[in-house]
Amino acid sequence: MNKIRSASWLGLWLSIFVVMVSFILPTTDVQAAEKPNYTITTDASYPPFDFQDQNNRYVGIDQDILKEIAKREKFTYTLKPMSFNSAAQLVANGQADGIIAGMVITDERKQVYDISTPYYKTGVAWIVKKDSTITSLAALKGQTVALKTGTAAADYGKSLQKKYGFKVKYFNDSNVMYNDVVAGNSVATFEDMPVIQYAIKNGVKLKVMNAKQLGNAGWYGFAVKKGENKALLTAFNQGLKSIQKDGTYDKIVKSYLGKSQEHFTGKTSDNNSVLGLLKTNRKAFIDGLIETIKLTVLAIILASIWGIFLGILGISETKWLRGVSTTVIYIFRGLPLMVLAFFIYIGLPTVIGTKVPAFLAGIITLVLNEGAYTAAFVRGGFEAVEKGQMEAARSLGLPYGKAMRKVIVPQGLRIMVPSFINQFIITLKDTSILSAIGLLELTQTGTLIVARNSQGFRVWAIIAVMYLIVITLLTW
Protein backbone atom coordinates (compact mmCIF):
# COMPACT_ATOMS: atom_id res chain seq x y z
CA MET A 1 0.00 0.00 0.00
CA ASN A 2 2.84 2.40 0.86
CA LYS A 3 4.45 1.71 -2.53
CA ILE A 4 1.17 2.48 -4.32
CA ARG A 5 0.77 5.71 -2.40
CA SER A 6 4.37 6.78 -3.11
CA ALA A 7 3.97 6.09 -6.84
CA SER A 8 0.70 8.04 -6.94
CA TRP A 9 2.30 10.90 -5.04
CA LEU A 10 5.27 10.99 -7.44
CA GLY A 11 2.97 10.91 -10.46
CA LEU A 12 0.94 13.79 -9.05
CA TRP A 13 4.03 15.94 -8.55
CA LEU A 14 5.37 15.16 -12.02
CA SER A 15 2.00 16.10 -13.53
CA ILE A 16 1.98 19.38 -11.61
CA PHE A 17 5.56 20.03 -12.76
CA VAL A 18 4.76 19.45 -16.45
CA VAL A 19 1.68 21.67 -16.27
CA MET A 20 3.69 24.41 -14.52
CA VAL A 21 6.41 24.32 -17.20
CA SER A 22 3.77 24.35 -19.95
CA PHE A 23 2.33 27.58 -18.56
CA ILE A 24 5.79 29.17 -18.26
CA LEU A 25 6.94 28.33 -21.77
CA PRO A 26 6.00 30.51 -24.72
CA THR A 27 3.25 29.25 -27.00
CA THR A 28 2.93 29.59 -30.74
CA ASP A 29 -0.05 30.78 -32.73
CA VAL A 30 -2.29 28.19 -34.34
CA GLN A 31 -1.83 28.01 -38.11
CA ALA A 32 -4.63 29.19 -40.34
CA ALA A 33 -7.31 26.53 -40.60
CA GLU A 34 -7.80 26.86 -44.35
CA LYS A 35 -4.40 25.30 -45.15
CA PRO A 36 -3.11 22.02 -43.73
CA ASN A 37 0.08 22.50 -41.73
CA TYR A 38 2.69 19.78 -41.52
CA THR A 39 5.79 19.29 -39.41
CA ILE A 40 8.76 18.49 -41.67
CA THR A 41 12.15 17.42 -40.33
CA THR A 42 15.50 17.92 -42.02
CA ASP A 43 19.25 17.73 -41.47
CA ALA A 44 20.28 21.37 -41.83
CA SER A 45 24.00 20.56 -41.99
CA TYR A 46 23.85 18.90 -45.42
CA PRO A 47 24.68 21.49 -48.09
CA PRO A 48 23.83 21.98 -50.91
CA PHE A 49 20.55 20.19 -50.10
CA ASP A 50 19.77 21.49 -46.61
CA PHE A 51 21.61 24.29 -44.79
CA GLN A 52 21.41 27.88 -43.53
CA ASP A 53 22.57 30.73 -45.74
CA GLN A 54 24.36 33.87 -44.55
CA ASN A 55 20.97 35.40 -43.61
CA ASN A 56 20.15 32.37 -41.42
CA ARG A 57 17.40 31.19 -43.77
CA TYR A 58 17.01 27.45 -44.35
CA VAL A 59 17.86 26.93 -48.01
CA GLY A 60 19.16 24.25 -50.33
CA ILE A 61 17.90 22.05 -53.17
CA ASP A 62 15.59 20.15 -50.80
CA GLN A 63 14.29 23.27 -49.10
CA ASP A 64 13.55 25.15 -52.33
CA ILE A 65 11.80 22.11 -53.79
CA LEU A 66 9.67 21.75 -50.66
CA LYS A 67 8.88 25.47 -50.56
CA GLU A 68 7.76 25.53 -54.20
CA ILE A 69 5.67 22.37 -53.83
CA ALA A 70 3.98 23.71 -50.67
CA LYS A 71 3.12 26.93 -52.52
CA ARG A 72 1.59 25.10 -55.46
CA GLU A 73 -0.22 22.42 -53.44
CA LYS A 74 -1.49 24.96 -50.91
CA PHE A 75 -0.14 23.60 -47.63
CA THR A 76 2.08 25.12 -44.97
CA TYR A 77 4.77 23.47 -42.92
CA THR A 78 6.91 23.93 -39.83
CA LEU A 79 10.55 22.98 -40.37
CA LYS A 80 12.42 21.11 -37.62
CA PRO A 81 16.18 20.96 -38.32
CA MET A 82 18.23 18.41 -36.36
CA SER A 83 20.66 15.54 -36.90
CA PHE A 84 19.66 13.10 -39.65
CA ASN A 85 19.04 10.16 -37.31
CA SER A 86 16.85 12.21 -34.97
CA ALA A 87 14.94 13.66 -37.92
CA ALA A 88 14.25 10.19 -39.33
CA GLN A 89 13.20 8.78 -35.93
CA LEU A 90 10.80 11.66 -35.37
CA VAL A 91 8.91 10.73 -38.54
CA ALA A 92 9.06 6.99 -37.88
CA ASN A 93 7.57 7.55 -34.40
CA GLY A 94 4.83 9.85 -35.67
CA GLN A 95 6.14 13.05 -34.04
CA ALA A 96 6.65 14.69 -37.44
CA ASP A 97 4.76 14.31 -40.69
CA GLY A 98 7.61 14.05 -43.18
CA ILE A 99 11.35 14.24 -43.75
CA ILE A 100 13.33 15.82 -46.59
CA ALA A 101 17.05 15.50 -45.94
CA GLY A 102 18.81 13.93 -48.89
CA MET A 103 17.39 10.57 -47.85
CA VAL A 104 18.41 7.79 -50.23
CA ILE A 105 15.60 5.38 -51.06
CA THR A 106 16.46 1.84 -49.90
CA ASP A 107 14.47 -1.37 -49.43
CA GLU A 108 15.02 -1.14 -45.67
CA ARG A 109 13.57 2.39 -45.51
CA LYS A 110 10.57 1.31 -47.58
CA GLN A 111 9.66 -1.01 -44.69
CA VAL A 112 9.35 1.97 -42.34
CA TYR A 113 8.36 4.87 -44.62
CA ASP A 114 6.16 5.61 -47.60
CA ILE A 115 8.50 7.40 -49.99
CA SER A 116 7.78 9.87 -52.75
CA THR A 117 8.64 9.76 -56.41
CA PRO A 118 12.48 9.97 -56.58
CA TYR A 119 13.60 13.56 -57.05
CA TYR A 120 17.43 13.50 -57.32
CA LYS A 121 19.90 10.85 -58.51
CA THR A 122 23.14 10.66 -56.61
CA GLY A 123 26.16 8.44 -56.13
CA VAL A 124 28.77 7.89 -53.43
CA ALA A 125 32.32 9.19 -53.70
CA TRP A 126 35.26 8.10 -51.60
CA ILE A 127 37.49 10.93 -50.43
CA VAL A 128 40.90 11.49 -48.89
CA LYS A 129 42.69 14.64 -47.77
CA LYS A 130 44.26 16.78 -50.45
CA ASP A 131 47.89 15.73 -49.94
CA SER A 132 47.16 12.06 -49.18
CA THR A 133 49.34 9.36 -50.73
CA ILE A 134 46.46 6.87 -50.77
CA THR A 135 45.47 6.09 -54.36
CA SER A 136 43.27 2.99 -54.10
CA LEU A 137 40.72 1.37 -51.80
CA ALA A 138 43.18 -1.47 -51.24
CA ALA A 139 45.50 1.04 -49.53
CA LEU A 140 42.88 1.54 -46.80
CA LYS A 141 43.72 -1.84 -45.24
CA GLY A 142 44.31 -1.41 -41.50
CA GLN A 143 43.45 2.31 -41.68
CA THR A 144 40.50 4.17 -40.13
CA VAL A 145 37.65 5.46 -42.32
CA ALA A 146 35.12 8.09 -41.16
CA LEU A 147 31.40 7.62 -41.88
CA LYS A 148 28.29 9.70 -41.16
CA THR A 149 25.68 7.83 -39.13
CA GLY A 150 22.50 6.77 -40.91
CA THR A 151 23.48 7.74 -44.46
CA ALA A 152 23.54 5.66 -47.63
CA ALA A 153 27.18 6.68 -48.07
CA ALA A 154 27.95 5.17 -44.67
CA ASP A 155 26.13 1.96 -45.63
CA TYR A 156 28.18 1.76 -48.83
CA GLY A 157 31.43 2.37 -46.98
CA LYS A 158 30.51 -0.25 -44.38
CA SER A 159 29.76 -2.76 -47.14
CA LEU A 160 33.38 -2.43 -48.36
CA GLN A 161 34.96 -2.80 -44.91
CA LYS A 162 35.38 -6.56 -44.95
CA LYS A 163 36.74 -6.61 -48.52
CA TYR A 164 39.35 -3.91 -47.94
CA GLY A 165 40.08 -4.48 -44.26
CA PHE A 166 39.71 -0.94 -42.89
CA LYS A 167 38.38 0.21 -39.51
CA VAL A 168 35.33 2.46 -39.18
CA LYS A 169 34.26 5.28 -36.86
CA TYR A 170 31.03 7.24 -37.04
CA PHE A 171 30.05 10.90 -36.81
CA ASN A 172 26.66 12.66 -36.65
CA ASP A 173 27.87 15.77 -38.47
CA SER A 174 29.36 16.00 -41.98
CA ASN A 175 31.75 18.85 -41.25
CA VAL A 176 33.23 17.11 -38.19
CA MET A 177 33.69 14.00 -40.31
CA TYR A 178 35.47 15.99 -43.05
CA ASN A 179 37.79 17.65 -40.57
CA ASP A 180 38.62 14.32 -38.99
CA VAL A 181 40.02 13.28 -42.38
CA VAL A 182 41.76 16.63 -42.94
CA ALA A 183 43.40 16.34 -39.51
CA GLY A 184 44.63 12.84 -40.34
CA ASN A 185 42.70 11.03 -37.62
CA SER A 186 40.92 9.13 -40.39
CA VAL A 187 42.46 8.54 -43.79
CA ALA A 188 39.28 8.56 -45.90
CA THR A 189 35.52 8.98 -45.89
CA PHE A 190 32.51 8.22 -48.09
CA GLU A 191 29.97 10.89 -49.03
CA ASP A 192 27.31 11.74 -51.62
CA MET A 193 29.02 13.41 -54.60
CA PRO A 194 27.14 16.76 -54.71
CA VAL A 195 27.57 17.20 -50.96
CA ILE A 196 31.34 16.68 -50.98
CA GLN A 197 31.67 18.84 -54.11
CA TYR A 198 30.01 21.71 -52.24
CA ALA A 199 32.36 21.24 -49.28
CA ILE A 200 35.47 21.17 -51.47
CA LYS A 201 34.35 24.32 -53.32
CA ASN A 202 33.94 25.87 -49.89
CA GLY A 203 37.58 25.29 -49.01
CA VAL A 204 37.62 21.87 -47.31
CA LYS A 205 41.00 20.34 -48.17
CA LEU A 206 39.81 16.99 -49.51
CA LYS A 207 39.88 15.34 -52.93
CA VAL A 208 37.50 12.89 -54.62
CA MET A 209 39.08 9.63 -55.78
CA ASN A 210 36.28 8.21 -57.97
CA ALA A 211 34.72 11.21 -59.73
CA LYS A 212 33.74 9.18 -62.84
CA GLN A 213 32.60 5.87 -61.37
CA LEU A 214 30.43 6.57 -58.36
CA GLY A 215 29.49 3.76 -56.01
CA ASN A 216 26.02 2.85 -54.75
CA ALA A 217 24.14 5.13 -57.15
CA GLY A 218 20.68 5.85 -55.81
CA TRP A 219 17.80 8.31 -55.60
CA TYR A 220 16.72 10.78 -52.93
CA GLY A 221 13.11 10.78 -51.80
CA PHE A 222 10.70 12.60 -49.47
CA ALA A 223 9.33 10.25 -46.79
CA VAL A 224 6.38 9.96 -44.41
CA LYS A 225 5.56 7.32 -41.82
CA LYS A 226 4.31 4.14 -43.46
CA GLY A 227 0.54 4.10 -43.77
CA GLU A 228 0.11 7.72 -42.67
CA ASN A 229 0.04 11.22 -44.19
CA LYS A 230 -1.07 10.01 -47.62
CA ALA A 231 -2.41 13.49 -48.44
CA LEU A 232 1.02 15.04 -47.82
CA LEU A 233 2.79 12.40 -49.91
CA THR A 234 0.29 12.82 -52.76
CA ALA A 235 0.70 16.60 -52.63
CA PHE A 236 4.50 16.26 -52.76
CA ASN A 237 4.36 13.92 -55.77
CA GLN A 238 1.91 16.15 -57.62
CA GLY A 239 3.94 19.26 -56.87
CA LEU A 240 7.20 17.57 -57.89
CA LYS A 241 5.67 16.55 -61.22
CA SER A 242 4.50 20.13 -61.74
CA ILE A 243 7.89 21.78 -61.06
CA GLN A 244 9.71 19.20 -63.20
CA LYS A 245 7.32 19.80 -66.10
CA ASP A 246 7.69 23.60 -66.22
CA GLY A 247 11.46 23.70 -65.63
CA THR A 248 11.36 25.07 -62.06
CA TYR A 249 13.08 21.94 -60.73
CA ASP A 250 16.05 22.35 -63.09
CA LYS A 251 16.39 26.00 -62.13
CA ILE A 252 16.50 25.09 -58.43
CA VAL A 253 19.19 22.45 -58.89
CA LYS A 254 21.26 24.71 -61.14
CA SER A 255 21.04 27.59 -58.68
CA TYR A 256 22.88 25.55 -56.05
CA LEU A 257 25.27 23.46 -58.15
CA GLY A 258 26.15 26.27 -60.54
CA LYS A 259 26.48 29.39 -58.40
CA SER A 260 29.55 30.49 -56.46
CA GLN A 261 29.50 29.43 -52.81
CA GLU A 262 29.86 33.09 -51.80
CA HIS A 263 26.25 33.56 -52.87
CA PHE A 264 25.22 31.51 -49.82
CA THR A 265 28.13 31.80 -47.41
CA GLY A 266 29.01 35.48 -47.78
CA LYS A 267 32.33 36.97 -48.83
CA THR A 268 35.38 34.75 -48.49
CA SER A 269 37.24 37.62 -46.82
CA ASP A 270 34.57 37.74 -44.09
CA ASN A 271 34.67 33.98 -43.51
CA ASN A 272 38.47 34.00 -43.22
CA SER A 273 38.57 36.21 -40.13
CA VAL A 274 37.01 36.11 -36.67
CA LEU A 275 35.75 39.69 -36.99
CA GLY A 276 34.23 38.90 -40.37
CA LEU A 277 32.43 35.85 -39.01
CA LEU A 278 31.13 37.87 -36.06
CA LYS A 279 29.86 40.57 -38.40
CA THR A 280 28.13 38.28 -40.91
CA ASN A 281 26.69 35.91 -38.30
CA ARG A 282 25.95 38.41 -35.54
CA LYS A 283 22.21 37.73 -35.43
CA ALA A 284 22.68 33.94 -35.43
CA PHE A 285 25.18 34.10 -32.55
CA ILE A 286 22.92 36.42 -30.53
CA ASP A 287 19.81 34.29 -31.14
CA GLY A 288 21.69 31.14 -30.15
CA LEU A 289 23.03 32.81 -27.02
CA ILE A 290 19.56 34.03 -26.03
CA GLU A 291 18.13 30.51 -26.46
CA THR A 292 20.95 29.09 -24.32
CA ILE A 293 20.35 31.67 -21.59
CA LYS A 294 16.58 31.00 -21.64
CA LEU A 295 17.18 27.26 -21.27
CA THR A 296 19.77 27.79 -18.53
CA VAL A 297 17.81 30.28 -16.40
CA LEU A 298 14.54 28.38 -16.57
CA ALA A 299 16.27 25.05 -15.91
CA ILE A 300 18.25 26.47 -12.97
CA ILE A 301 15.14 27.86 -11.29
CA LEU A 302 13.00 24.75 -11.76
CA ALA A 303 15.84 22.28 -11.06
CA SER A 304 16.70 24.14 -7.84
CA ILE A 305 13.09 24.00 -6.66
CA TRP A 306 12.76 20.34 -7.62
CA GLY A 307 16.17 19.45 -6.16
CA ILE A 308 15.55 21.19 -2.82
CA PHE A 309 12.17 19.48 -2.58
CA LEU A 310 13.71 16.05 -3.27
CA GLY A 311 16.56 16.81 -0.87
CA ILE A 312 14.14 17.63 1.95
CA LEU A 313 12.24 14.41 1.24
CA GLY A 314 15.56 12.60 1.54
CA ILE A 315 15.88 13.51 5.23
CA SER A 316 12.19 13.08 6.06
CA GLU A 317 11.11 11.16 9.15
CA THR A 318 8.89 9.03 6.91
CA LYS A 319 10.72 6.05 5.47
CA TRP A 320 8.76 5.80 2.19
CA LEU A 321 9.35 9.49 1.44
CA ARG A 322 13.09 8.93 1.85
CA GLY A 323 12.73 5.95 -0.48
CA VAL A 324 11.00 8.04 -3.14
CA SER A 325 13.77 10.65 -2.97
CA THR A 326 16.54 8.06 -3.18
CA THR A 327 14.88 6.28 -6.13
CA VAL A 328 14.31 9.45 -8.17
CA ILE A 329 17.87 10.65 -7.54
CA TYR A 330 19.28 7.24 -8.47
CA ILE A 331 17.32 7.00 -11.74
CA PHE A 332 17.94 10.48 -13.13
CA ARG A 333 21.59 10.69 -12.04
CA GLY A 334 22.18 7.34 -13.72
CA LEU A 335 20.71 8.26 -17.12
CA PRO A 336 23.00 10.04 -19.62
CA LEU A 337 21.57 13.43 -20.50
CA MET A 338 21.35 12.73 -24.24
CA VAL A 339 19.56 9.42 -23.68
CA LEU A 340 17.07 11.16 -21.39
CA ALA A 341 16.52 13.92 -23.98
CA PHE A 342 15.86 11.39 -26.75
CA PHE A 343 13.54 9.40 -24.49
CA ILE A 344 11.44 12.44 -23.56
CA TYR A 345 11.37 14.00 -27.02
CA ILE A 346 11.21 10.94 -29.28
CA GLY A 347 10.28 7.93 -27.13
CA LEU A 348 7.78 9.26 -24.57
CA PRO A 349 5.25 10.71 -27.05
CA THR A 350 4.70 7.26 -28.56
CA VAL A 351 3.57 6.09 -25.11
CA ILE A 352 1.43 9.08 -24.07
CA GLY A 353 0.12 9.78 -27.58
CA THR A 354 0.97 13.49 -27.44
CA LYS A 355 3.82 15.39 -29.08
CA VAL A 356 6.29 17.03 -26.72
CA PRO A 357 7.65 20.39 -28.01
CA ALA A 358 11.45 20.43 -28.28
CA PHE A 359 11.85 23.33 -25.83
CA LEU A 360 9.60 21.65 -23.25
CA ALA A 361 11.46 18.34 -23.73
CA GLY A 362 14.77 20.17 -23.23
CA ILE A 363 13.59 21.87 -20.04
CA ILE A 364 12.17 18.64 -18.58
CA THR A 365 15.42 16.84 -19.44
CA LEU A 366 17.57 19.45 -17.71
CA VAL A 367 15.29 19.70 -14.67
CA LEU A 368 15.12 15.95 -14.10
CA ASN A 369 18.86 15.47 -14.57
CA GLU A 370 20.19 18.60 -12.86
CA GLY A 371 17.49 18.40 -10.18
CA ALA A 372 18.67 14.91 -9.22
CA TYR A 373 22.25 16.15 -8.74
CA THR A 374 20.96 19.17 -6.84
CA ALA A 375 18.86 16.92 -4.59
CA ALA A 376 21.91 14.80 -3.76
CA PHE A 377 24.00 17.71 -2.48
CA VAL A 378 20.98 19.34 -0.83
CA ARG A 379 20.38 16.17 1.15
CA GLY A 380 24.08 16.02 1.97
CA GLY A 381 24.05 19.69 3.04
CA PHE A 382 21.19 19.15 5.47
CA GLU A 383 22.80 16.01 6.85
CA ALA A 384 26.03 18.01 7.37
CA VAL A 385 24.29 20.24 9.92
CA GLU A 386 25.22 18.99 13.40
CA LYS A 387 22.64 16.59 14.83
CA GLY A 388 22.68 18.57 18.04
CA GLN A 389 20.94 21.42 16.23
CA MET A 390 17.85 19.33 15.58
CA GLU A 391 17.94 17.84 19.07
CA ALA A 392 18.15 21.30 20.60
CA ALA A 393 15.25 22.56 18.49
CA ARG A 394 13.08 19.59 19.40
CA SER A 395 13.93 19.94 23.09
CA LEU A 396 12.61 23.51 22.92
CA GLY A 397 9.26 22.13 21.77
CA LEU A 398 9.53 22.78 18.03
CA PRO A 399 7.79 20.15 15.86
CA TYR A 400 9.95 18.41 13.23
CA GLY A 401 8.68 20.47 10.29
CA LYS A 402 9.19 23.79 12.02
CA ALA A 403 12.62 22.75 13.30
CA MET A 404 13.61 21.95 9.72
CA ARG A 405 12.36 25.29 8.37
CA LYS A 406 13.74 27.48 11.13
CA VAL A 407 16.97 25.72 12.12
CA ILE A 408 18.26 23.05 9.70
CA VAL A 409 17.35 24.48 6.27
CA PRO A 410 18.96 27.95 6.77
CA GLN A 411 22.22 26.40 7.98
CA GLY A 412 22.19 23.69 5.30
CA LEU A 413 21.66 26.18 2.47
CA ARG A 414 24.74 28.14 3.50
CA ILE A 415 26.80 24.95 3.26
CA MET A 416 25.40 24.26 -0.22
CA VAL A 417 26.15 27.62 -1.88
CA PRO A 418 29.38 26.47 -3.64
CA SER A 419 27.62 23.34 -4.89
CA PHE A 420 24.73 25.39 -6.27
CA ILE A 421 27.12 27.64 -8.21
CA ASN A 422 28.92 24.60 -9.63
CA GLN A 423 25.60 23.04 -10.66
CA PHE A 424 24.50 26.27 -12.37
CA ILE A 425 27.66 26.17 -14.51
CA ILE A 426 27.08 22.50 -15.35
CA THR A 427 23.48 23.28 -16.37
CA LEU A 428 24.68 25.98 -18.77
CA LYS A 429 27.16 23.61 -20.40
CA ASP A 430 24.64 20.78 -20.56
CA THR A 431 22.30 22.86 -22.72
CA SER A 432 24.68 22.16 -25.60
CA ILE A 433 23.62 18.49 -25.58
CA LEU A 434 20.05 19.54 -26.41
CA SER A 435 21.18 20.47 -29.92
CA ALA A 436 20.68 16.75 -30.61
CA ILE A 437 16.88 17.21 -30.46
CA GLY A 438 16.91 20.27 -32.70
CA LEU A 439 17.02 23.14 -30.22
CA LEU A 440 18.74 26.08 -31.89
CA GLU A 441 20.93 27.05 -28.95
CA LEU A 442 24.54 28.19 -29.14
CA THR A 443 26.12 24.84 -30.07
CA GLN A 444 23.56 24.05 -32.77
CA THR A 445 24.03 27.59 -34.11
CA GLY A 446 27.74 26.89 -34.47
CA THR A 447 27.05 23.60 -36.23
CA LEU A 448 24.83 25.30 -38.82
CA ILE A 449 27.33 28.09 -39.47
CA VAL A 450 30.19 25.61 -39.90
CA ALA A 451 28.07 23.47 -42.25
CA ARG A 452 27.63 26.53 -44.45
CA ASN A 453 31.16 27.96 -44.54
CA SER A 454 33.41 25.12 -43.26
CA GLN A 455 35.24 27.50 -40.89
CA GLY A 456 35.25 25.06 -37.98
CA PHE A 457 38.24 26.38 -36.03
CA ARG A 458 37.17 30.03 -36.03
CA VAL A 459 33.47 29.39 -35.40
CA TRP A 460 34.07 27.01 -32.49
CA ALA A 461 36.63 29.41 -31.02
CA ILE A 462 33.94 32.13 -31.03
CA ILE A 463 31.40 29.75 -29.45
CA ALA A 464 33.91 28.71 -26.78
CA VAL A 465 34.65 32.34 -25.84
CA MET A 466 30.92 33.10 -25.63
CA TYR A 467 30.39 30.16 -23.25
CA LEU A 468 33.35 31.27 -21.12
CA ILE A 469 32.00 34.83 -20.84
CA VAL A 470 28.54 33.65 -19.78
CA ILE A 471 29.99 31.13 -17.30
CA THR A 472 32.21 33.84 -15.80
CA LEU A 473 29.22 36.17 -15.35
CA LEU A 474 27.14 33.35 -13.88
CA THR A 475 29.92 32.48 -11.43
CA TRP A 476 30.18 36.08 -10.26
Side-chain angles (χ1 to χ4, degrees):
M1 184 62 72
N2 284 340
K3 288 183 179 179
I4 295 173
R5 286 177 180 173
S6 63
S8 301
W9 175 89
L10 181 59
L12 175 63
W13 275 104
L14 284 173
S15 300
I16 293 171
F17 168 72
V18 171
V19 171
M20 179 176 66
V21 173
S22 299
F23 277 112
I24 293 172
L25 296 177
T27 57
T28 56
D29 294 333
V30 178
Q31 294 287 337
E34 63 270 14
K35 288 184 179 181
N37 181 261
Y38 300 105
T39 299
I40 308 296
T41 61
T42 189
D43 174 3
S45 61
Y46 199 63
F49 291 92
D50 307 277
F51 64 107
Q52 270 192 345
D53 67 7
Q54 58 183 325
N55 298 313
N56 304 315
R57 297 173 301 188
Y58 291 106
V59 296
I61 295 173
D62 284 352
Q63 297 308 313
D64 284 13
I65 287 173
L66 179 61
K67 185 178 180 180
E68 187 63 31
I69 289 174
K71 180 181 173 183
R72 297 190 184 198
E73 297 299 315
K74 295 180 170 50
F75 66 84
T76 61
Y77 61 92
T78 302
L79 194 67
K80 283 189 171 292
M82 58 188 67
S83 68
F84 179 81
N85 272 348
S86 298
Q89 287 177 45
L90 225 60
V91 176
N93 291 338
Q95 319 285 334
D97 301 303
I99 175 173
I100 186 162
M103 177 186 275
V104 174
I105 301 170
T106 64
D107 291 337
E108 292 79 11
R109 284 174 178 157
K110 287 179 181 178
Q111 302 300 314
V112 181
Y113 306 98
D114 288 326
I115 303 177
S116 71
T117 303
Y119 66 84
Y120 189 90
K121 189 174 183 179
T122 185
V124 177
W126 74 278
I127 307 108
V128 297
K129 69 177 181 176
K130 208 167 185 178
D131 58 355
S132 175
T133 57
I134 291 176
T135 57
S136 68
L137 289 170
L140 297 178
K141 185 174 182 179
Q143 305 286 349
T144 300
V145 171
L147 301 175
K148 184 177 178 181
T149 308
T151 63
D155 292 340
Y156 179 66
K158 183 70 176 174
S159 71
L160 301 176
Q161 182 182 14
K162 187 174 181 180
K163 180 179 179 180
Y164 293 104
F166 53 79
K167 295 175 282 188
V168 165
K169 63 179 175 180
Y170 288 94
F171 296 88
N172 285 324
D173 178 76
S174 296
N175 188 72
V176 177
M177 179 178 73
Y178 299 154
N179 281 300
D180 195 67
V181 178
V182 172
N185 298 321
S186 302
V187 298
T189 185
F190 290 83
E191 181 62 281
D192 287 1
M193 177 58 84
V195 179
I196 192 60
Q197 284 177 330
Y198 179 94
I200 291 172
K201 282 182 181 179
N202 217 21
V204 177
K205 296 178 180 179
L206 298 174
K207 62 180 177 181
V208 175
M209 301 301 292
N210 60 329
K212 294 182 179 179
Q213 294 183 335
L214 300 181
N216 202 38
W219 287 87
Y220 288 161
F222 172 80
V224 300
K225 184 178 180 181
K226 197 166 188 66
E228 297 185 12
N229 288 310
K230 291 184 179 179
L232 172 59
L233 192 62
T234 300
F236 185 91
N237 285 334
Q238 289 177 176
L240 178 62
K241 185 177 180 180
S242 173
I243 65 174
Q244 287 174 332
K245 186 176 181 180
D246 66 12
T248 303
Y249 172 86
D250 292 330
K251 289 179 182 177
I252 290 172
V253 173
K254 187 178 179 181
S255 71
Y256 287 95
L257 298 185
K259 285 185 179 177
S260 165
Q261 309 314 113
E262 287 192 3
H263 181 78
F264 307 107
T265 64
K267 295 179 180 178
T268 302
S269 57
D270 287 338
N271 289 323
N272 286 337
S273 71
V274 171
L275 289 177
L277 286 169
L278 284 170
K279 183 180 75 173
T280 55
N281 299 284
R282 180 176 64 253
K283 186 178 184 301
F285 283 129
I286 291 173
D287 289 346
L289 178 61
I290 290 172
E291 188 75 0
T292 293
I293 292 172
K294 281 166 57 180
L295 284 165
T296 303
V297 171
L298 193 53
I300 283 173
I301 293 170
L302 296 177
S304 296
I305 295 170
W306 178 238
I308 291 172
F309 177 72
L310 282 177
I312 291 173
L313 289 187
I315 58 169
S316 171
E317 284 187 308
T318 307
K319 185 176 180 180
W320 70 268
L321 288 178
R322 295 198 303 272
V324 168
S325 174
T326 301
T327 302
V328 172
I329 292 171
Y330 175 77
I331 290 172
F332 292 110
R333 280 206 307 177
L335 287 174
L337 196 64
M338 187 175 289
V339 172
L340 184 58
F342 280 136
F343 173 75
I344 293 172
Y345 186 54
I346 297 175
L348 187 60
T350 61
V351 177
I352 63 177
T354 303
K355 296 178 182 178
V356 179
F359 193 89
L360 177 59
I363 289 295
I364 293 174
T365 299
L366 289 172
V367 170
L368 291 177
N369 183 268
E370 311 298 341
Y373 282 97
T374 300
F377 70 69
V378 165
R379 183 176 60 187
F382 291 149
E383 289 175 345
V385 177
E386 293 183 9
K387 292 183 179 180
Q389 297 288 319
M390 175 60 80
E391 293 170 358
R394 296 304 297 274
S395 68
L396 292 173
L398 291 177
Y400 181 83
K402 196 167 186 179
M404 283 294 299
R405 290 195 307 274
K406 298 290 186 180
V407 179
I408 304 302
V409 170
Q411 294 183 69
L413 287 174
R414 290 181 65 185
I415 296 171
M416 300 170 211
V417 168
S419 297
F420 268 112
I421 294 172
N422 186 56
Q423 196 61 41
F424 294 166
I425 293 170
I426 291 172
T427 302
L428 172 63
K429 292 190 290 185
D430 282 349
T431 59
S432 63
I433 296 174
L434 300 179
S435 62
I437 60 172
L439 284 175
L440 195 54
E441 42 63 71
L442 202 50
T443 299
Q444 180 72 345
T445 297
T447 299
L448 295 178
I449 294 172
V450 172
R452 177 174 72 245
N453 59 29
S454 302
Q455 297 295 320
F457 176 79
R458 293 184 179 91
V459 172
W460 291 121
I462 292 169
I463 296 290
V465 170
M466 292 176 75
Y467 272 115
L468 284 172
I469 291 171
V470 176
I471 286 171
T472 301
L473 293 174
L474 186 62
T475 304
W476 286 348

